[in-house]
């Protein structure tokens, strides 16, 4: 979760945007893509999470969706581990 917070903070995103933001691939640095926002803020994003055919200068769309099923499974697993820890 810290990494996601870092992306959010470094991108200057403090609320949900209703209009489409523009993100430009500025360059690649090893395993990272350096992305520039439409308000000229730069942030790093793992290259492994992006399409392989991206190149510098490409404009990309970024959408984030919550996966409620996976979230619920993670919470249940954490709760189970915690309960088992204190039962011993």
């Amino acid at each position: 979760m810290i990494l996601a917070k870092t992306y959010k903070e470094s991108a200057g995103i403090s609320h949900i945007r209703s209009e489409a933001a523009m993100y430009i691939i500025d360059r690649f640095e090893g395993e990272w893509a350096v992305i520039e926002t439409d308000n000229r803020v730069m942030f790093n994003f793992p290259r492994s999470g992006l399409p392989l055919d991206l190149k510098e200068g490409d404009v990309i769309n970024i959408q984030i969706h919550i996966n409620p099923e996976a979230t619920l499974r993670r919470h249940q697993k954490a709760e189970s581990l915690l309960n088992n820890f204190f039962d011993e």
Side-chain angles (χ1 to χ4, degrees):
M1 294 305 157
I2 293 172
L3 193 56
K5 185 176 181 184
T6 302
Y7 289 155
K8 181 178 176 181
E9 289 173 350
S10 66
I13 301 167
S14 61
H15 62 284
I16 297 173
R17 297 173 66 158
S18 58
E19 73 281 357
M22 184 176 5
Y23 300 95
I24 303 111
I25 301 297
D26 183 71
R27 64 185 179 279
F28 297 102
E29 294 183 355
E31 297 299 314
W32 297 94
V34 179
I35 299 174
E36 182 178 0
T37 68
D38 52 0
N39 60 354
R40 303 189 55 87
V41 174
M42 308 288 257
F43 67 97
N44 295 331
F45 193 86
R47 204 169 179 173
S48 62
L50 297 169
L52 296 174
D53 58 345
L54 275 182
K55 57 190 177 308
E56 293 177 3
D58 281 347
V59 176
I60 61 173
N61 295 326
I62 298 176
Q63 294 182 337
I64 298 173
H65 301 276
I66 297 170
N67 183 330
E69 294 84 15
T71 301
L72 179 61
R73 285 192 303 272
R74 288 179 50 86
H75 284 285
Q76 289 171 337
K77 183 177 180 178
E79 186 175 336
S80 174
L81 290 170
L82 191 59
N83 288 338
N84 288 337
F85 178 76
F86 286 114
D87 286 343
E88 294 178 2

